[in-house]
Amino acid sequence: EADFVVQSMAVNLSARQFFDGNLSSHVDQALKDSGMRPEQLELEITESILMANTEETMSLFGRLKQLGVKLSIDDFGTGYSSLSELRDLPIDTLKIDRSFILDMATAGGEVLVKVVTDLAHEFEMVAVAEGVEEHDVADRLRALGCDLAQGFLYARPVPAAELPAIFAA
């Protein structure tokens, strides 16, 4: 089995995990146990989590940022987050929901992707397109200024146990 180095890892959090009361201590312990640097870990939350409990959410964001991890809003555009709240959150990445990417064939769909990408950049965040499956879509996203893309075009989801073999290849 070949050794491999993880450059970064994104972890999706459910609302239950996010609000369990011990998330920051669990993350801190996981970083210590794994030897991963905090800046290599990105925690992904959905817009609905943002809206669930603003004061508690902001407090937890502060504790997580003190650990040095990155925070990402997953599936951005599908919830009801306020732009003024978005401005005040310590978020590193906006992940543009797959439904917007699929809708890029329409003029309005492409405009929405461009607006979200520009919004991310204005707030000094990275814009990531989710659900990219075709080369022409990836090319168009690049032309719109989107920073990163993920989807079946690049890789299909795999169990964690298969990662060492994939990285070795």
Side-chain angles (χ1 to χ4, degrees):
E1 189 171 297
D3 290 334
F4 65 95
V5 177
V6 174
Q7 296 297 317
S8 65
M9 181 174 292
V11 176
N12 287 71
L13 296 175
S14 69
R16 184 182 59 76
Q17 291 169 314
F18 190 79
F19 292 114
D20 85 346
N22 294 312
L23 179 62
S24 59
S25 61
H26 289 311
V27 169
D28 188 39
Q29 190 60 52
L31 289 169
K32 289 175 182 168
D33 291 347
S34 69
M36 181 181 271
R37 294 186 321 274
E39 64 273 11
Q40 292 176 291
L41 178 61
E42 184 167 6
L43 300 176
E44 297 183 3
I45 59 160
T46 61
E47 281 183 274
S48 59
I49 291 174
L50 293 177
M51 304 310 292
N53 187 331
T54 306
E55 188 174 316
E56 183 180 350
T57 301
M58 291 302 289
S59 175
L60 183 51
F61 280 164
R63 291 193 304 275
L64 292 169
K65 291 303 287 184
Q66 284 179 336
L67 292 175
V69 300
K70 294 180 180 174
L71 300 174
S72 172
I73 298 176
D74 196 19
D75 302 329
F76 183 77
T78 60
Y80 301 98
S81 63
S82 158
L83 293 179
S84 63
E85 289 175 347
L86 181 63
R87 176 194 61 209
D88 297 331
L89 294 171
I91 300 296
D92 300 289
T93 304
L94 275 185
K95 297 185 81 176
I96 306 166
D97 187 70
R98 178 179 187 269
S99 63
F100 288 94
I101 306 309
L102 293 174
D103 197 35
M104 282 180 59
T106 67
E110 188 166 303
V111 168
L112 285 173
V113 171
K114 176 67 172 149
V115 167
V116 174
T117 298
D118 291 347
L119 179 68
H121 294 157
E122 286 297 321
F123 290 138
E124 298 180 1
M125 298 175 191
V126 174
V128 178
E130 296 183 298
V132 178
E133 298 179 8
E134 300 170 2
H135 289 284
D136 61 326
V137 172
D139 292 342
R140 191 68 202 128
L141 287 164
R142 205 173 358 267
L144 293 173
C146 192
D147 301 301
L148 299 170
Q150 66 182 55
F152 289 169
L153 177 62
Y154 306 104
R156 298 225 177 244
V158 296
E162 293 179 22
L163 288 176
I166 291 171
F167 286 123

